[in-house]
Amino acid sequence: MKYGYFDDKNREYVITQPDTPLPWINYLGCQAYFGIISNTAGGYSFYRDARLRRITRYRYNNAPFDFGGRYIYVRDDAAGDFWSPSWQPTRRKLENYSCRHGMGYTTIGSQYNGVEASTRYFVPLDENLEIWQLTITNHRRQAAELSVFSAIEFCLWDAQDDSTNFQRNFSIGEVEVENGVIYHKTEYRERRDHYSFFACSEKISGFDTQRDTFLGPYRGWDDPAVVESGQACNSLAHGWAPIGSHHVRLSLEPGESRQIVFVLGYQENPRDQKFDPLDSQILNKKKAKCVLSRYLVPGTADAAFEKLGQYWDDLLGICQVDTPDVHTNRMVNIWNAYQCMATFNMSRSASSYESGIGRGLGFRDSNQDLLGFVHMVPERARERILDLAATQLPTGGAYHQYQPLTKRGNNDVGSGFNDDPHWLIIGVAAYLKETGDWSILDEAVPYDNEPGTETELYEHLQRSFRYTLDRLGPHGLPLIGRADWNDCLNLNCFSDSPGQSFQTTTNKDGKVAESVFIAGLFVLAGRELAEIARHRCHKAEARSYLAEVEKMEATIRQHGWDGEWFIRAYDDFGRKVGSKECVEGKIFIETQGFCTLAGVGLEDGLAARALKSTRQLLATKHGIVLQQPAYSKYYLELGEISSYPPGYKENAGIFCHNNPWVMIGEARVGNGDSAHDYYSRINPSAREEMSNVHRCEPYVYAQMIAGRDAPTHGEAKNSWLTGTAAWNYYAITQWILGVRTDYDGLLIAPVVPKGWKGFKVTRKFRGVTYDIVVERSGDGNAVSLEVDGQSIAGNLVPLPPSGTTNVAVKAIVA
Ligand code: GLC
Ligand code: GLC
């Protein structure tokens, strides 16, 4: 069952029924001003940091699930009846409804009683504001006398404090209203130097800024007293809950259409110019007025919207594919790339499942996100790498997270996740391969943001690698610390008190529990670091890294292999985790995926065996589960993983993030059918037909799909902000379609299904457009290459002479 359809030409998903199983959201903004918007206009906005600079308020885990947003009410002034064109919050029966989620915008429209109203929401490039363009058309035979009300609720900036500290917050709310523009300025009188403003292009017949006046006692957003009465009260909020609502009266002739533009924005003032006049307490509104003078004029919004479309044309144009599979094409060309932008911007902070107040940017998450983002805006990837590296600790270890506003390590979640440092090497390697910008390695970057501690970035990578060598356990495998990639495998935690954090509680000295996963990651990162060292002409150093890598591979073979698959870890008692010897949790996906993707066991057949075991024991039709058998009870020595009921999250859920590791492993052993089969099982577009089972958005990946042990097998949760986006993008484009960036050029190494006769890829790489045509002439994966009509040996397309703009590549796969 479906709730809409893909409109690929317009790069939109069109939702045709408002009561989707869960809110199906989109993101507005891709630089500094952001918003979340659901298919019924729910959601909120913020500037840079979803926790510290929240502009509008939202209540999580609500009933209905998604409530509070960018609402518009239309009132038939003759009949006294009113409705919301976005269905919520009034939920009237509409004559039709559609929500078009596109690249950085959402348009929600409907018709009710012959009046059509449609609003396009977006954030213009390079501006700290959002636009709501409302078009309202009278399809009746008679004239319509209408009132339009806008409605948002302001957040008192710090979203965490806003939702808890009511003894203070109920007394501090402040607004100003001037010429119909509503300014929110809570705490501006003291230490804040920023404010928000909400304006409307039409002359208004009133406004409201006090929530209780607008709604009326004991009423909700579905039934505001002001909208019912048809006249705004001009309420001025002081304390309680400041909101923004404009009231516009319209008279529309039959067939007449009108557009109203609403602008919600954010501004900061220099400290010494906060007030106007300077010695008053009146907000200096100059900057907002200047922006509004441009954006309230008809035409500016349309022009800004066109510019946004052009921006996405350019970004998506960097990699376009044409394969026999519509779901591959749609995800690579549109939605997966788009999701990678969202994960890059948001990390794991703000979605329907991430409250925006919990987490900052994760060190490992943000580094992995680069894999799917670096080709789009390499300059921003560069900046992110340097920011991340600046939070690294002198030991080479890392804070697990940092706050985007302050760019400082966030001590709440601490450090000591022993996989973290290696992801910096993986992120930097991806950047170097994409851009060839070796100068990044010479950048001076501090440790723990401490001035005076700067070294070149290259040394950060050296310390990352060293970090593991300094922390090897009894078997010579890396010590796991608080956790490795799997946040929930907490082998040093031993927590028996409710409410303790599994990630920061440590009851063991950490000298025994080891991670085979980190060993695989070490192999991958070590090989990259050796390549990087070789490029910097540190030949001996490169050799020493490779020697350590080989040693680690041997250790994996000796202590990390269980006979039919890779072991997962050793616990604090030195017992195996993820072994046939275990009663539950005998086999885990992480090590099968990561060891094979890192190339461990390719020559001696261990990789192929591990992948076979994965297929037999972990694969389901909805994707590959994390481990089997699921833990049926809580194990003190394993931690959070066993806290989840079987089939959910890390306890045998289909954790989509690591499925692509297995796809890449399959590609590495040459099995294109299997790689693409796994790809399709979790591809959201390929799952669209079962939207009633999958329940999350069919256009983006979710972190998890319930595993076979769960009663809701196949149900997705936690869509959008997941490493799944970058890893799937990377797996399909670079390993299955096999157009792979490398330090010295583009590799062409497809491992695609046997049934595919061929496919095409257009890839912009270091300023050159490569038009790549792949044809199959046999069943294998051997590649013969022609570059601009000349056959060349091997499968690396070398960098063309400077000045070249286009290169034609033909690859025959046999
Ligand atoms: C979440 C975290 C990520 C972690 C994964 C597995 O996606 O953001 O850092 O690796 O869970 O626990
Ligand atoms: C990751 C995991 C989640 C866990 C969390 C702890 O997001 O997916 O299960 O609760 O990390 O920070």
Side-chain angles (χ1 to χ4, degrees), residues 57 155-174 184 186-187 190 192 238-242:
R57 184 177 283 157
C155 179
L156 308 187
W157 307 119
D158 179 332
Q160 162 94 9
D161 188 75
D162 180 71
S163 54
T164 47
N165 193 8
F166 305 114
Q167 59 79 25
R168 169 177 163 86
N169 294 346
F170 284 168
S171 293
I172 62 173
E174 286 192 298
H184 174 230
T186 299
E187 288 189 344
E190 28 126 347
R192 293 192 184 273
H238 41 86
W240 297 112

PDB file of all heavy atoms in Angstrom, residues 57 155-174 184 186-187 190 192 238-242:
ATOM      1  N   ARG A  57       8.793  26.510  18.546  1.00  0.00           N
ATOM      2  CA  ARG A  57       8.644  25.453  19.557  1.00  0.00           C
ATOM      3  C   ARG A  57       7.973  24.214  18.963  1.00  0.00           C
ATOM      4  O   ARG A  57       7.175  24.306  18.032  1.00  0.00           O
ATOM      5  CB  ARG A  57       7.808  25.996  20.701  1.00  0.00           C
ATOM      6  CG  ARG A  57       7.654  25.042  21.845  1.00  0.00           C
ATOM      7  CD  ARG A  57       6.872  25.685  22.975  1.00  0.00           C
ATOM      8  NE  ARG A  57       7.683  26.618  23.742  1.00  0.00           N
ATOM      9  CZ  ARG A  57       7.181  27.612  24.463  1.00  0.00           C
ATOM     10  NH1 ARG A  57       5.890  27.834  24.485  1.00  0.00           N
ATOM     11  NH2 ARG A  57       7.981  28.405  25.159  1.00  0.00           N
ATOM     12  N   CYS A 155       9.980  29.527  20.401  1.00  0.00           N
ATOM     13  CA  CYS A 155      10.715  28.808  21.434  1.00  0.00           C
ATOM     14  C   CYS A 155      11.612  29.831  22.134  1.00  0.00           C
ATOM     15  O   CYS A 155      12.129  30.746  21.482  1.00  0.00           O
ATOM     16  CB  CYS A 155      11.571  27.715  20.792  1.00  0.00           C
ATOM     17  SG  CYS A 155      12.540  26.780  21.975  1.00  0.00           S
ATOM     18  N   LEU A 156      11.821  29.683  23.423  1.00  0.00           N
ATOM     19  CA  LEU A 156      12.654  30.647  24.148  1.00  0.00           C
ATOM     20  C   LEU A 156      14.131  30.275  23.989  1.00  0.00           C
ATOM     21  O   LEU A 156      14.878  30.164  24.948  1.00  0.00           O
ATOM     22  CB  LEU A 156      12.236  30.735  25.613  1.00  0.00           C
ATOM     23  CG  LEU A 156      10.735  30.978  25.867  1.00  0.00           C
ATOM     24  CD1 LEU A 156      10.461  31.211  27.352  1.00  0.00           C
ATOM     25  CD2 LEU A 156      10.187  32.140  25.051  1.00  0.00           C
ATOM     26  N   TRP A 157      14.519  29.980  22.784  1.00  0.00           N
ATOM     27  CA  TRP A 157      15.894  29.774  22.292  1.00  0.00           C
ATOM     28  C   TRP A 157      16.551  28.463  22.704  1.00  0.00           C
ATOM     29  O   TRP A 157      16.934  27.693  21.848  1.00  0.00           O
ATOM     30  CB  TRP A 157      16.806  30.950  22.685  1.00  0.00           C
ATOM     31  CG  TRP A 157      16.266  32.272  22.274  1.00  0.00           C
ATOM     32  CD1 TRP A 157      15.928  33.311  23.095  1.00  0.00           C
ATOM     33  CD2 TRP A 157      15.978  32.731  20.938  1.00  0.00           C
ATOM     34  NE1 TRP A 157      15.449  34.376  22.371  1.00  0.00           N
ATOM     35  CE2 TRP A 157      15.469  34.056  21.036  1.00  0.00           C
ATOM     36  CE3 TRP A 157      16.085  32.167  19.670  1.00  0.00           C
ATOM     37  CZ2 TRP A 157      15.092  34.803  19.933  1.00  0.00           C
ATOM     38  CZ3 TRP A 157      15.705  32.917  18.562  1.00  0.00           C
ATOM     39  CH2 TRP A 157      15.226  34.207  18.701  1.00  0.00           C
ATOM     40  N   ASP A 158      16.779  28.251  23.987  1.00  0.00           N
ATOM     41  CA  ASP A 158      17.444  26.999  24.387  1.00  0.00           C
ATOM     42  C   ASP A 158      16.359  25.937  24.540  1.00  0.00           C
ATOM     43  O   ASP A 158      15.590  25.938  25.502  1.00  0.00           O
ATOM     44  CB  ASP A 158      18.198  27.215  25.703  1.00  0.00           C
ATOM     45  CG  ASP A 158      18.889  25.943  26.191  1.00  0.00           C
ATOM     46  OD1 ASP A 158      18.401  24.838  25.881  1.00  0.00           O
ATOM     47  OD2 ASP A 158      19.910  26.058  26.889  1.00  0.00           O
ATOM     48  N   ALA A 159      16.313  25.030  23.589  1.00  0.00           N
ATOM     49  CA  ALA A 159      15.173  24.115  23.511  1.00  0.00           C
ATOM     50  C   ALA A 159      15.055  23.208  24.730  1.00  0.00           C
ATOM     51  O   ALA A 159      13.955  22.817  25.115  1.00  0.00           O
ATOM     52  CB  ALA A 159      15.262  23.273  22.242  1.00  0.00           C
ATOM     53  N   GLN A 160      16.177  22.910  25.335  1.00  0.00           N
ATOM     54  CA  GLN A 160      16.149  22.049  26.524  1.00  0.00           C
ATOM     55  C   GLN A 160      15.525  22.812  27.690  1.00  0.00           C
ATOM     56  O   GLN A 160      14.595  22.352  28.343  1.00  0.00           O
ATOM     57  CB  GLN A 160      17.584  21.641  26.858  1.00  0.00           C
ATOM     58  CG  GLN A 160      17.802  21.119  28.249  1.00  0.00           C
ATOM     59  CD  GLN A 160      17.700  19.604  28.287  1.00  0.00           C
ATOM     60  OE1 GLN A 160      17.628  18.954  27.250  1.00  0.00           O
ATOM     61  NE2 GLN A 160      17.683  19.045  29.464  1.00  0.00           N
ATOM     62  N   ASP A 161      16.039  23.997  27.912  1.00  0.00           N
ATOM     63  CA  ASP A 161      15.536  24.837  28.988  1.00  0.00           C
ATOM     64  C   ASP A 161      14.065  25.200  28.731  1.00  0.00           C
ATOM     65  O   ASP A 161      13.239  25.227  29.639  1.00  0.00           O
ATOM     66  CB  ASP A 161      16.403  26.105  29.052  1.00  0.00           C
ATOM     67  CG  ASP A 161      16.085  26.947  30.260  1.00  0.00           C
ATOM     68  OD1 ASP A 161      16.501  26.544  31.357  1.00  0.00           O
ATOM     69  OD2 ASP A 161      15.410  27.979  30.112  1.00  0.00           O
ATOM     70  N   ASP A 162      13.758  25.442  27.490  1.00  0.00           N
ATOM     71  CA  ASP A 162      12.404  25.836  27.095  1.00  0.00           C
ATOM     72  C   ASP A 162      11.366  24.791  27.491  1.00  0.00           C
ATOM     73  O   ASP A 162      10.230  25.122  27.794  1.00  0.00           O
ATOM     74  CB  ASP A 162      12.374  26.051  25.578  1.00  0.00           C
ATOM     75  CG  ASP A 162      11.009  26.472  25.071  1.00  0.00           C
ATOM     76  OD1 ASP A 162      10.610  27.618  25.351  1.00  0.00           O
ATOM     77  OD2 ASP A 162      10.345  25.652  24.410  1.00  0.00           O
ATOM     78  N   SER A 163      11.784  23.531  27.472  1.00  0.00           N
ATOM     79  CA  SER A 163      10.787  22.501  27.737  1.00  0.00           C
ATOM     80  C   SER A 163      10.817  22.006  29.176  1.00  0.00           C
ATOM     81  O   SER A 163      10.168  21.021  29.514  1.00  0.00           O
ATOM     82  CB  SER A 163      10.970  21.340  26.766  1.00  0.00           C
ATOM     83  OG  SER A 163      12.287  20.885  26.814  1.00  0.00           O
ATOM     84  N   THR A 164      11.615  22.688  30.014  1.00  0.00           N
ATOM     85  CA  THR A 164      11.689  22.211  31.404  1.00  0.00           C
ATOM     86  C   THR A 164      11.591  23.320  32.457  1.00  0.00           C
ATOM     87  O   THR A 164      11.015  23.108  33.521  1.00  0.00           O
ATOM     88  CB  THR A 164      13.020  21.468  31.653  1.00  0.00           C
ATOM     89  OG1 THR A 164      14.089  22.257  31.118  1.00  0.00           O
ATOM     90  CG2 THR A 164      13.034  20.097  30.992  1.00  0.00           C
ATOM     91  N   ASN A 165      12.124  24.488  32.157  1.00  0.00           N
ATOM     92  CA  ASN A 165      12.331  25.493  33.212  1.00  0.00           C
ATOM     93  C   ASN A 165      11.171  26.482  33.310  1.00  0.00           C
ATOM     94  O   ASN A 165      11.347  27.690  33.138  1.00  0.00           O
ATOM     95  CB  ASN A 165      13.651  26.220  32.918  1.00  0.00           C
ATOM     96  CG  ASN A 165      14.119  27.039  34.090  1.00  0.00           C
ATOM     97  OD1 ASN A 165      13.556  26.964  35.187  1.00  0.00           O
ATOM     98  ND2 ASN A 165      15.135  27.851  33.873  1.00  0.00           N
ATOM     99  N   PHE A 166       9.993  25.978  33.607  1.00  0.00           N
ATOM    100  CA  PHE A 166       8.807  26.829  33.506  1.00  0.00           C
ATOM    101  C   PHE A 166       8.727  27.897  34.590  1.00  0.00           C
ATOM    102  O   PHE A 166       8.171  28.972  34.362  1.00  0.00           O
ATOM    103  CB  PHE A 166       7.550  25.963  33.513  1.00  0.00           C
ATOM    104  CG  PHE A 166       7.611  24.915  32.437  1.00  0.00           C
ATOM    105  CD1 PHE A 166       7.675  23.571  32.747  1.00  0.00           C
ATOM    106  CD2 PHE A 166       7.657  25.292  31.097  1.00  0.00           C
ATOM    107  CE1 PHE A 166       7.780  22.613  31.744  1.00  0.00           C
ATOM    108  CE2 PHE A 166       7.753  24.345  30.095  1.00  0.00           C
ATOM    109  CZ  PHE A 166       7.816  22.993  30.423  1.00  0.00           C
ATOM    110  N   GLN A 167       9.280  27.651  35.765  1.00  0.00           N
ATOM    111  CA  GLN A 167       9.192  28.669  36.821  1.00  0.00           C
ATOM    112  C   GLN A 167       9.804  29.984  36.349  1.00  0.00           C
ATOM    113  O   GLN A 167       9.349  31.050  36.712  1.00  0.00           O
ATOM    114  CB  GLN A 167       9.844  28.164  38.115  1.00  0.00           C
ATOM    115  CG  GLN A 167      11.318  27.764  38.033  1.00  0.00           C
ATOM    116  CD  GLN A 167      12.290  28.939  38.062  1.00  0.00           C
ATOM    117  OE1 GLN A 167      11.947  30.000  38.592  1.00  0.00           O
ATOM    118  NE2 GLN A 167      13.474  28.774  37.481  1.00  0.00           N
ATOM    119  N   ARG A 168      10.837  29.898  35.503  1.00  0.00           N
ATOM    120  CA  ARG A 168      11.429  31.121  34.949  1.00  0.00           C
ATOM    121  C   ARG A 168      10.738  31.511  33.649  1.00  0.00           C
ATOM    122  O   ARG A 168      10.336  32.656  33.461  1.00  0.00           O
ATOM    123  CB  ARG A 168      12.923  30.897  34.680  1.00  0.00           C
ATOM    124  CG  ARG A 168      13.587  31.992  33.877  1.00  0.00           C
ATOM    125  CD  ARG A 168      15.100  31.755  33.695  1.00  0.00           C
ATOM    126  NE  ARG A 168      15.643  32.557  32.615  1.00  0.00           N
ATOM    127  CZ  ARG A 168      16.062  33.822  32.751  1.00  0.00           C
ATOM    128  NH1 ARG A 168      15.998  34.418  33.924  1.00  0.00           N
ATOM    129  NH2 ARG A 168      16.548  34.490  31.716  1.00  0.00           N
ATOM    130  N   ASN A 169      10.596  30.524  32.766  1.00  0.00           N
ATOM    131  CA  ASN A 169      10.181  30.837  31.403  1.00  0.00           C
ATOM    132  C   ASN A 169       8.798  31.490  31.311  1.00  0.00           C
ATOM    133  O   ASN A 169       8.556  32.298  30.427  1.00  0.00           O
ATOM    134  CB  ASN A 169      10.210  29.587  30.541  1.00  0.00           C
ATOM    135  CG  ASN A 169      11.637  29.081  30.362  1.00  0.00           C
ATOM    136  OD1 ASN A 169      12.584  29.802  30.668  1.00  0.00           O
ATOM    137  ND2 ASN A 169      11.798  27.857  29.898  1.00  0.00           N
ATOM    138  N   PHE A 170       7.907  31.145  32.216  1.00  0.00           N
ATOM    139  CA  PHE A 170       6.565  31.725  32.135  1.00  0.00           C
ATOM    140  C   PHE A 170       6.563  33.227  32.418  1.00  0.00           C
ATOM    141  O   PHE A 170       5.571  33.901  32.215  1.00  0.00           O
ATOM    142  CB  PHE A 170       5.609  31.007  33.107  1.00  0.00           C
ATOM    143  CG  PHE A 170       5.168  29.644  32.623  1.00  0.00           C
ATOM    144  CD1 PHE A 170       4.506  28.771  33.487  1.00  0.00           C
ATOM    145  CD2 PHE A 170       5.396  29.236  31.313  1.00  0.00           C
ATOM    146  CE1 PHE A 170       4.089  27.511  33.046  1.00  0.00           C
ATOM    147  CE2 PHE A 170       4.981  27.977  30.872  1.00  0.00           C
ATOM    148  CZ  PHE A 170       4.337  27.112  31.741  1.00  0.00           C
ATOM    149  N   SER A 171       7.710  33.750  32.870  1.00  0.00           N
ATOM    150  CA  SER A 171       7.766  35.184  33.170  1.00  0.00           C
ATOM    151  C   SER A 171       8.669  35.979  32.244  1.00  0.00           C
ATOM    152  O   SER A 171       8.820  37.182  32.418  1.00  0.00           O
ATOM    153  CB  SER A 171       8.259  35.381  34.610  1.00  0.00           C
ATOM    154  OG  SER A 171       7.308  34.892  35.512  1.00  0.00           O
ATOM    155  N   ILE A 172       9.338  35.358  31.289  1.00  0.00           N
ATOM    156  CA  ILE A 172      10.362  36.122  30.550  1.00  0.00           C
ATOM    157  C   ILE A 172      10.015  36.429  29.094  1.00  0.00           C
ATOM    158  O   ILE A 172      10.720  37.202  28.446  1.00  0.00           O
ATOM    159  CB  ILE A 172      11.735  35.415  30.588  1.00  0.00           C
ATOM    160  CG1 ILE A 172      11.674  34.044  29.909  1.00  0.00           C
ATOM    161  CG2 ILE A 172      12.249  35.292  32.013  1.00  0.00           C
ATOM    162  CD1 ILE A 172      13.045  33.392  29.765  1.00  0.00           C
ATOM    163  N   GLY A 173       8.965  35.858  28.551  1.00  0.00           N
ATOM    164  CA  GLY A 173       8.655  36.044  27.131  1.00  0.00           C
ATOM    165  C   GLY A 173       8.419  37.510  26.770  1.00  0.00           C
ATOM    166  O   GLY A 173       7.695  38.219  27.461  1.00  0.00           O
ATOM    167  N   GLU A 174       9.059  37.977  25.699  1.00  0.00           N
ATOM    168  CA  GLU A 174       8.862  39.370  25.276  1.00  0.00           C
ATOM    169  C   GLU A 174       8.795  39.473  23.754  1.00  0.00           C
ATOM    170  O   GLU A 174       9.538  38.783  23.045  1.00  0.00           O
ATOM    171  CB  GLU A 174      10.014  40.249  25.763  1.00  0.00           C
ATOM    172  CG  GLU A 174       9.972  40.545  27.241  1.00  0.00           C
ATOM    173  CD  GLU A 174      10.957  41.638  27.629  1.00  0.00           C
ATOM    174  OE1 GLU A 174      12.175  41.438  27.438  1.00  0.00           O
ATOM    175  OE2 GLU A 174      10.509  42.712  28.076  1.00  0.00           O
ATOM    176  N   HIS A 184      10.282  38.609  18.041  1.00  0.00           N
ATOM    177  CA  HIS A 184      10.422  37.862  19.287  1.00  0.00           C
ATOM    178  C   HIS A 184      11.779  38.165  19.907  1.00  0.00           C
ATOM    179  O   HIS A 184      12.815  37.976  19.273  1.00  0.00           O
ATOM    180  CB  HIS A 184      10.295  36.343  19.025  1.00  0.00           C
ATOM    181  CG  HIS A 184      10.566  35.541  20.255  1.00  0.00           C
ATOM    182  ND1 HIS A 184      11.435  34.478  20.280  1.00  0.00           N
ATOM    183  CD2 HIS A 184      10.098  35.691  21.527  1.00  0.00           C
ATOM    184  CE1 HIS A 184      11.484  33.995  21.513  1.00  0.00           C
ATOM    185  NE2 HIS A 184      10.686  34.708  22.283  1.00  0.00           N
ATOM    186  N   THR A 186      12.737  37.486  23.528  1.00  0.00           N
ATOM    187  CA  THR A 186      12.933  36.989  24.899  1.00  0.00           C
ATOM    188  C   THR A 186      14.433  36.917  25.236  1.00  0.00           C
ATOM    189  O   THR A 186      15.234  36.445  24.422  1.00  0.00           O
ATOM    190  CB  THR A 186      12.284  35.603  25.046  1.00  0.00           C
ATOM    191  OG1 THR A 186      10.894  35.747  24.781  1.00  0.00           O
ATOM    192  CG2 THR A 186      12.490  35.024  26.436  1.00  0.00           C
ATOM    193  N   GLU A 187      14.785  37.402  26.407  1.00  0.00           N
ATOM    194  CA  GLU A 187      16.161  37.435  26.945  1.00  0.00           C
ATOM    195  C   GLU A 187      17.081  38.423  26.208  1.00  0.00           C
ATOM    196  O   GLU A 187      18.266  38.502  26.509  1.00  0.00           O
ATOM    197  CB  GLU A 187      16.801  36.032  26.986  1.00  0.00           C
ATOM    198  CG  GLU A 187      16.212  35.148  28.074  1.00  0.00           C
ATOM    199  CD  GLU A 187      16.956  33.827  28.283  1.00  0.00           C
ATOM    200  OE1 GLU A 187      17.737  33.429  27.414  1.00  0.00           O
ATOM    201  OE2 GLU A 187      16.747  33.210  29.352  1.00  0.00           O
ATOM    202  N   GLU A 190      18.908  41.073  28.271  1.00  0.00           N
ATOM    203  CA  GLU A 190      20.134  40.771  29.036  1.00  0.00           C
ATOM    204  C   GLU A 190      21.251  40.302  28.107  1.00  0.00           C
ATOM    205  O   GLU A 190      21.833  41.103  27.395  1.00  0.00           O
ATOM    206  CB  GLU A 190      19.815  39.804  30.176  1.00  0.00           C
ATOM    207  CG  GLU A 190      18.611  38.869  29.914  1.00  0.00           C
ATOM    208  CD  GLU A 190      18.922  37.413  30.086  1.00  0.00           C
ATOM    209  OE1 GLU A 190      20.112  37.071  30.173  1.00  0.00           O
ATOM    210  OE2 GLU A 190      17.971  36.600  30.136  1.00  0.00           O
ATOM    211  N   ARG A 192      21.433  38.081  25.430  1.00  0.00           N
ATOM    212  CA  ARG A 192      21.299  37.663  24.029  1.00  0.00           C
ATOM    213  C   ARG A 192      21.404  38.864  23.093  1.00  0.00           C
ATOM    214  O   ARG A 192      20.993  39.966  23.448  1.00  0.00           O
ATOM    215  CB  ARG A 192      19.965  36.949  23.809  1.00  0.00           C
ATOM    216  CG  ARG A 192      19.888  35.637  24.538  1.00  0.00           C
ATOM    217  CD  ARG A 192      18.701  34.802  24.104  1.00  0.00           C
ATOM    218  NE  ARG A 192      18.638  33.596  24.902  1.00  0.00           N
ATOM    219  CZ  ARG A 192      19.290  32.471  24.614  1.00  0.00           C
ATOM    220  NH1 ARG A 192      20.033  32.389  23.528  1.00  0.00           N
ATOM    221  NH2 ARG A 192      19.201  31.427  25.401  1.00  0.00           N
ATOM    222  N   HIS A 238       3.581  39.040  27.217  1.00  0.00           N
ATOM    223  CA  HIS A 238       4.635  39.274  28.207  1.00  0.00           C
ATOM    224  C   HIS A 238       4.533  38.087  29.136  1.00  0.00           C
ATOM    225  O   HIS A 238       3.504  37.805  29.725  1.00  0.00           O
ATOM    226  CB  HIS A 238       4.477  40.616  28.917  1.00  0.00           C
ATOM    227  CG  HIS A 238       3.074  40.943  29.255  1.00  0.00           C
ATOM    228  ND1 HIS A 238       2.472  40.525  30.406  1.00  0.00           N
ATOM    229  CD2 HIS A 238       2.136  41.608  28.540  1.00  0.00           C
ATOM    230  CE1 HIS A 238       1.222  40.924  30.413  1.00  0.00           C
ATOM    231  NE2 HIS A 238       0.982  41.574  29.296  1.00  0.00           N
ATOM    232  N   GLY A 239       5.629  37.331  29.183  1.00  0.00           N
ATOM    233  CA  GLY A 239       5.578  36.079  29.930  1.00  0.00           C
ATOM    234  C   GLY A 239       4.752  35.040  29.196  1.00  0.00           C
ATOM    235  O   GLY A 239       4.435  35.198  28.018  1.00  0.00           O
ATOM    236  N   TRP A 240       4.454  33.971  29.870  1.00  0.00           N
ATOM    237  CA  TRP A 240       3.718  32.844  29.297  1.00  0.00           C
ATOM    238  C   TRP A 240       4.307  32.394  27.963  1.00  0.00           C
ATOM    239  O   TRP A 240       5.507  32.189  27.887  1.00  0.00           O
ATOM    240  CB  TRP A 240       2.220  33.133  29.215  1.00  0.00           C
ATOM    241  CG  TRP A 240       1.630  33.319  30.574  1.00  0.00           C
ATOM    242  CD1 TRP A 240       1.123  34.484  31.102  1.00  0.00           C
ATOM    243  CD2 TRP A 240       1.528  32.338  31.610  1.00  0.00           C
ATOM    244  NE1 TRP A 240       0.696  34.287  32.385  1.00  0.00           N
ATOM    245  CE2 TRP A 240       0.930  32.980  32.734  1.00  0.00           C
ATOM    246  CE3 TRP A 240       1.868  30.990  31.743  1.00  0.00           C
ATOM    247  CZ2 TRP A 240       0.679  32.315  33.945  1.00  0.00           C
ATOM    248  CZ3 TRP A 240       1.610  30.328  32.933  1.00  0.00           C
ATOM    249  CH2 TRP A 240       1.026  30.983  34.017  1.00  0.00           C
ATOM    250  N   ALA A 241       3.486  32.317  26.920  1.00  0.00           N
ATOM    251  CA  ALA A 241       3.981  31.689  25.691  1.00  0.00           C
ATOM    252  C   ALA A 241       3.811  32.603  24.482  1.00  0.00           C
ATOM    253  O   ALA A 241       2.715  32.714  23.935  1.00  0.00           O
ATOM    254  CB  ALA A 241       3.246  30.370  25.457  1.00  0.00           C
ATOM    255  N   PRO A 242       4.878  33.266  24.051  1.00  0.00           N
ATOM    256  CA  PRO A 242       4.776  34.145  22.884  1.00  0.00           C
ATOM    257  C   PRO A 242       4.566  33.356  21.597  1.00  0.00           C
ATOM    258  O   PRO A 242       5.230  32.342  21.376  1.00  0.00           O
ATOM    259  CB  PRO A 242       6.126  34.871  22.827  1.00  0.00           C
ATOM    260  CG  PRO A 242       6.880  34.477  24.033  1.00  0.00           C
ATOM    261  CD  PRO A 242       6.236  33.278  24.636  1.00  0.00           C
TER     262      PRO A 242
END
